[in-house]
Amino acid sequence: MSDMDLCARLTAGDLDALADAYDQHGPYVFGVAVKVTGSQAYAEEITQNVFVALWERPLSYDPGLGSLRGWLVSRALHESALRSKVG
């Protein structure tokens, strides 16, 4: 399934689309978060926050600007950086 199709489904409120996005990208996002934070617990929280943000604001991802995976990882890196500053 293309990122554009997935985005359209998310925008329409299709909960299965969120599950599909998580299945496709969740392990990668989690892996990046673990690598950056060094903590599985923080990585789980970050991964959850990233996918909640996608669900709550699907239009914040623009398929014309890059891949969904890239957007998700960018958000995870941002959250990881915030986590590092907080402690």
Side-chain angles (χ1 to χ4, degrees), residues 34-47:
V34 166
K35 190 165 200 141
V36 171
T37 64
S39 166
Q40 286 192 346
Y42 287 155
E44 288 172 2
E45 182 180 337
I46 289 165
T47 301

Side-chain angles (χ1 to χ4, degrees), residues 3-72:
D3 288 347
M4 291 183 99
D5 292 336
L6 199 52
C7 185
R9 289 176 54 208
L10 286 164
T11 302
D14 181 351
L15 190 55
D16 289 335
L18 182 63
D20 290 344
Y22 184 82
D23 289 345
Q24 288 178 22
H25 305 294
Y28 190 81
V29 171
F30 176 76
V32 168
V34 166
K35 190 165 200 141
V36 171
T37 64
S39 166
Q40 286 192 346
Y42 287 155
E44 288 172 2
E45 182 180 337
I46 289 165
T47 301
Q48 178 178 334
N49 290 346
V50 166
F51 282 93
V52 166
L54 177 63
W55 176 250
E56 290 177 343
R57 293 177 302 284
L59 293 175
S60 63
Y61 164 65
D62 182 350
L65 297 177
S67 70
L68 179 57
R69 179 175 284 188
W71 184 86
L72 293 166

